[in-house]
């Protein structure tokens, strides 16, 4: 696989775990940006034994992660990382300026601050993982709670 990175664009390689029927399996996420003419796209690829997921391209790391998670959900597999948590979601500005590699840990009724920022590929024990649909629903409810 050839990886072409745009100048100054963040590239990442992170170890994490897949959760498959309560069994943790090691996986690797590789991410990079490609620039061709006027199109600046982020790509990520999940590398794991017995899991076939192509590299996804979108407008940032968070959106690419969502694409991979949607495919894995069909196999009943979840990715153990902040980006898969119910209460973690990037703001539009974070997505636009930071390639969506960070997102906010949100709390109902409280505005997000820089102290709530996490790398979407990091993890800690006992994360509350959710489906993409549940994560989006939480985000919409959170927006309503701070209006």
């Amino acid at each position: 696989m050839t990886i072409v990175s745009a100048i100054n664009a963040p590239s990442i390689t992170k170890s994490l775990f897949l959760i498959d029927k309560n069994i943790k399996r090691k996986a690797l996420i590789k991410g990079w940006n490609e620039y061709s003419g006027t199109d600046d796209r982020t790509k990520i690829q999940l590398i794991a034994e017995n899991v076939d997921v192509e590299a996804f391209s979108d407008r940032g790391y968070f959106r690419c992660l969502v694409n991979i998670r949607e495919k894995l959900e069909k196999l009943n597999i979840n990715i153990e990382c902040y980006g898969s948590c119910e209460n973690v979601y990037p703001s539009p500005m974070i997505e636009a300026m930071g390639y969506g590699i960070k997102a906010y840990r949100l709390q109902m009724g409280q505005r997000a601050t820089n102290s709530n920022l996490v790398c979407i590929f990091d993890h800690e024990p006992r994360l509350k993982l959710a489906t993409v649909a549940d994560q989006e629903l939480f985000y919409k409810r959170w927006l309503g709670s701070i209006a």
Side-chain angles (χ1 to χ4, degrees):
M1 171 177 64
T2 303
I3 297 175
V4 179
S5 295
I7 297 173
N8 296 325
S11 63
I12 58 132
T13 301
K14 287 278 195 172
S15 295
L16 39 73
F17 292 99
L18 300 181
I19 309 295
D20 182 3
K21 298 177 188 112
N22 294 324
I23 298 170
K24 282 188 179 186
R25 294 188 292 151
K26 287 186 179 182
L28 190 68
I29 288 273
K30 288 188 175 193
W32 64 96
N33 279 39
E34 291 183 346
Y35 182 79
S36 60
T38 59
D39 191 24
D40 189 10
R41 302 290 285 179
T42 302
K43 289 190 175 186
I44 65 173
Q45 180 178 26
L46 175 74
I47 302 165
E49 192 175 319
N50 299 323
V51 177
D52 183 30
V53 178
E54 69 272 12
F56 279 93
S57 174
D58 211 316
R59 65 181 194 268
Y61 284 115
F62 184 79
R63 295 293 154 204
C64 289
L65 180 62
V66 165
N67 292 330
I68 287 178
R69 289 175 55 216
E70 287 175 332
K71 181 155 184 157
L72 291 176
E73 282 177 13
K74 294 174 184 170
L75 304 171
N76 294 315
I77 298 173
N78 210 331
I79 301 174
E80 186 180 60
C81 64
Y82 284 117
S84 296
C85 290
E86 179 183 61
N87 68 328
V88 173
Y89 211 87
S91 69
M93 186 174 78
I94 290 287
E95 280 193 289
M97 297 181 69
Y99 294 96
I101 200 160
K102 290 193 176 191
Y104 292 103
R105 282 203 284 189
L106 306 171
Q107 294 181 351
M108 288 294 172
Q110 296 182 13
R111 295 199 177 275
T113 66
N114 285 345
S115 65
N116 302 116
L117 281 173
V118 293
C119 174
I120 63 171
F121 299 114
D122 286 347
H123 60 90
E124 65 182 39
R126 297 177 292 283
L127 291 175
K128 185 176 181 184
L129 304 179
T131 64
V132 171
D134 287 342
Q135 184 181 40
E136 290 173 0
L137 180 61
F138 183 94
Y139 179 66
K140 288 175 184 173
R141 287 181 30 238
W142 174 80
L143 283 173
S145 79
I146 62 165

